[in-house]
Amino acid sequence: MDKTSVIFGNQIDKKTIKKAAKSKAKYQKKFGDDSKKDYKLGFETIPTLDFLGAKNIVFKESNEPFPENGIIVGNIRMGFGHYRISIAMASCAKALGYEPLWLDLASFDATGSKMIRAQNDLYSLASRISQKSRLFNRFVWEPLNRDGFKKITYNAVDQKNSENLIPIFRNIPKDTPYIATHVWPSQGAIHAGMTHVVNAIPDNWPMALHLSDGAIHTVQTSFAYLGYKTLDGFSKKQLNGIPEKDLKLVGHYVDHELVVNLEEDNERRVCRIENNEPLRILLTVGGAGAGADLFLSMVSFLLPYVEEKKASLFINFGDHLKVYELLKKKVKGFEHVRFFDEYGKLKGFASDMKSNPISGIYCIYNKNIFEAVYSTNLLMRECDLMITKPSELVFYPIPKVFMRHIGGHEVYGARYGAELGDATKECQTEKEMERMLEKLLSDKEILIHMIHRIDGLKAQGYYNGAYECVKLAVQGK
């Protein structure tokens, strides 16, 4: 399937087509041409996601049969965001009676996987550099994330590169329901001839980067819907947009466990706030490990509030132990915090948080990526406020303070969250962050307003996006 020359009826110029072919060939030369390989597929359990019964698709000596009610969640690790959205899809698939199958295309010993890992390494490096170099951020990283990825010619090159993923799909039944939480797994599935592909677009800023002609594209906001319906700004020429049959506004991608328990969790939040218990603040270190300096500033600012038992602090470092070591070295008194590096103990502690008052600072680290990502979900239900960059967590049902974005596309997530009313504006500087936190800690009515707003959003179906993706993937089966 040639998706490089024509994308949604829009003809791509010959120069870009030639560039795309060279790009694909470059990766094959670097990592080998495995287009004729017959990779056998089987399954392994994922202990962290045992409550979902999710199975990981892996290479095996011989093919194992795919379950009749299986639904594949195709993903990659690029930061933590795409993994987190994938877990939400798996959770809602399980809730609707399907068996979630995990397909991490970056995890295999295959040409396409090596290509993804190489691009992810560059993305993570650039994210970290952008936080240290204002010039790089202003003139390279911001424009690339906001404008460069928006061009339809960028998608044409990606489409050709994604043909390198076809061999991984060779032994997957073509009519298996399939949800992709990054565009490469979607493009790879379409190139391989899969027929029930949902391309779950993660961001609020419309970009050609996320186009996967042949899949059903789902978006979480009306702003994104209009952007993809028109493809306005994707080229200097006027383009055909995505047809209605291939574009659906579904709502936020949120785990079943968070949605079904939301009213109960919010009642406990309001009760803690009204009883003047320490405000439970959750900080998340992103998958790229960027923004360490800002974390230093925030923790230092919040320490007096923790000592006065006005706040308790939970920091999920993910799998970035270096950020924890930096805080322990730079922040006086930080060496006495409680440290979790055993997932089982964290699960028990999170369960106890429902009924027990909590004070102090708690740090969480997990080398296993599933544990690193899902630790935030465990703590989210029992915390009152989350501090995060405006990434995929924009769409999650908890009051939020937005740190400075990393990549220009995240700006539009922050604006969306602030307009919904369950989050603050994006705090660009350390001083802005401190003023915002001070206001939230001193005026409990703001947080209670945000919590009530979240209840209202749930009543309107805002958090049903992952369920809707599952329904779209299985329709016609």
Side-chain angles (χ1 to χ4, degrees):
M1 293 184 181
D2 177 24
K3 298 294 184 181
T4 299
S5 301
V6 180
I7 301 172
F8 289 112
N10 299 296
Q11 184 68 48
I12 304 301
D13 64 279
K14 292 181 179 179
K15 182 179 178 181
T16 298
I17 295 171
K18 187 176 180 180
K19 178 183 176 183
K22 285 184 177 180
S23 182
K24 176 185 175 181
K26 177 190 73 175
Y27 285 114
Q28 289 185 340
K29 182 178 180 180
K30 184 174 182 180
F31 300 122
D33 181 359
D34 65 352
S35 57
K36 304 299 183 184
K37 279 283 188 78
D38 183 23
Y39 293 119
K40 308 299 184 184
L41 299 177
F43 308 96
E44 291 180 351
T45 59
I46 305 174
T48 307
L49 303 183
D50 57 352
F51 64 99
L52 299 179
K55 292 181 180 177
N56 196 17
I57 299 175
V58 297
F59 285 167
K60 292 272 188 164
E61 292 295 322
S62 59
N63 285 318
E64 297 177 5
F66 277 68
E68 286 289 328
N69 67 336
I71 182 169
I72 297 174
V73 181
N75 58 76
I76 64 170
R77 169 169 183 173
M78 181 166 280
F80 287 160
H82 301 284
Y83 255 49
R84 190 181 313 284
I85 296 170
S86 296
I87 294 173
M89 298 297 178
S91 170
C92 290
K94 174 68 173 179
L96 292 175
Y98 300 96
E99 184 173 346
L101 306 173
W102 192 272
L103 180 66
D104 180 354
L105 289 179
S107 67
F108 298 99
D109 184 19
T111 296
S113 300
K114 294 171 184 175
M115 174 187 74
I116 290 173
R117 291 196 293 270
Q119 294 195 48
N120 184 44
D121 288 344
L122 287 174
Y123 186 90
S124 296
L125 176 62
S127 291
R128 293 191 295 272
I129 293 174
S130 72
Q131 298 302 290
K132 297 177 181 178
S133 170
R134 291 184 179 180
L135 289 176
F136 177 82
N137 189 56
R138 179 179 178 184
F139 293 107
V140 178
W141 196 234
E142 288 276 322
L144 178 63
N145 276 271
R146 184 187 62 245
D147 305 321
F149 292 157
K150 193 176 183 72
K151 297 177 181 177
I152 198 166
T153 50
Y154 187 92
N155 183 255
V157 177
D158 255 8
Q159 286 279 10
K160 183 58 68 174
N161 286 336
S162 292
E163 292 176 6
N164 285 320
L165 297 167
I166 293 175
I168 300 173
F169 291 86
R170 188 153 285 139
N171 287 302
I172 297 176
K174 296 297 183 280
D175 63 345
T176 305
Y178 182 98
I179 302 172
T181 59
H182 185 282
V183 71
W184 295 335
S186 179
Q187 291 170 353
I190 292 296
H191 289 311
M194 296 195 69
T195 57
H196 289 69
V197 179
V198 170
N199 175 31
I201 296 173
D203 296 321
N204 193 33
W205 176 237
M207 297 186 287
L209 166 70
H210 295 304
L211 298 180
S212 179
D213 192 355
I216 296 175
H217 295 61
T218 61
V219 292
Q220 301 180 83
T221 74
S222 296
F223 178 76
Y225 172 85
L226 183 60
Y228 288 107
K229 192 78 172 79
T230 63
L231 297 189
D232 184 41
F234 285 51
S235 171
K236 291 181 180 179
K237 300 178 182 179
Q238 186 172 349
L239 300 175
N240 300 315
I242 300 180
E244 185 68 20
K245 66 181 179 63
D246 296 330
L247 179 64
K248 306 296 179 183
L249 171 59
V250 295
H252 300 187
Y253 312 138
V254 182
D255 311 61
H256 171 73
E257 293 73 31
L258 294 173
V259 177
V260 74
N261 294 298
L262 186 54
E263 290 90 349
E264 176 189 340
D265 294 344
N266 277 343
E267 284 179 10
R268 290 200 305 275
R269 287 183 179 120
V270 171
C271 185
R272 287 193 296 268
I273 293 168
E274 290 180 339
N275 290 337
N276 294 315
E277 292 185 27
L279 190 70
R280 300 176 178 184
I281 302 175
L282 172 61
L283 286 82
T284 63
V285 176
D293 290 341
L294 186 56
F295 271 86
L296 279 171
S297 171
M298 283 191 296
V299 172
S300 297
F301 174 77
L302 288 169
L303 271 177
Y305 291 95
V306 175
E307 292 169 357
E308 296 171 10
K309 294 193 174 183
K310 293 181 179 178
S312 52
L313 199 55
F314 301 83
I315 310 174
N316 183 13
F317 292 92
D319 57 0
H320 295 289
L321 190 60
K322 288 183 179 179
V323 182
Y324 167 74
E325 296 291 349
L326 179 65
L327 263 66
K328 192 166 70 170
K329 180 180 178 182
K330 296 282 188 179
V331 180
K332 185 178 179 182
F334 199 77
E335 65 272 11
H336 300 304
V337 303
R338 185 167 178 182
F339 180 71
F340 285 100
D341 61 352
E342 293 183 35
Y343 186 70
K345 290 184 178 179
L346 177 65
K347 287 173 67 177
F349 178 78
S351 179
D352 290 341
M353 288 173 67
K354 281 185 172 65
S355 54
N356 296 326
I358 299 294
S359 60
I361 301 177
Y362 302 83
C363 296
I364 299 92
Y365 162 80
N366 291 283
K367 188 175 182 180
N368 177 284
I369 185 172
F370 290 102
E371 296 175 359
V373 172
Y374 204 73
S375 291
T376 292
N377 287 40
L378 288 175
L379 293 167
M380 194 185 303
R381 289 191 58 196
E382 307 308 329
C383 286
D384 307 315
L385 176 68
M386 181 166 63
I387 302 175
T388 178
K389 71 186 184 74
S391 57
E392 81 288 346
L393 288 168
V394 163
F395 302 97
Y396 276 68
I398 180 174
K400 294 168 286 285
V401 175
F402 289 137
M403 298 188 294
R404 183 174 60 244
H405 66 272
I406 301 176
H409 61 296
E410 291 185 345
V411 170
Y412 299 87
R415 291 178 182 175
Y416 174 73
E419 289 173 355
L420 272 188
D422 69 345
T424 70
K425 68 172 186 176
E426 180 183 348
C427 298
Q428 297 281 353
T429 66
E430 293 176 5
K431 287 297 181 185
E432 279 188 47
M433 179 66 72
E434 290 173 4
R435 285 197 296 268
M436 187 64 71
L437 289 171
E438 188 174 30
K439 180 60 72 173
L440 289 168
L441 283 159
S442 62
D443 188 348
K444 62 184 181 183
E445 292 177 355
I446 299 175
L447 275 178
I448 291 175
H449 169 80
M450 287 183 175
I451 292 167
H452 290 328
R453 180 65 183 141
I454 290 168
D455 283 333
L457 292 171
K458 181 185 176 180
Q460 296 176 65
Y462 268 74
Y463 304 121
N464 292 341
Y467 299 111
E468 295 303 316
C469 286
V470 173
K471 293 174 185 176
L472 287 168
V474 302
Q475 67 181 5
K477 271 281 288 182

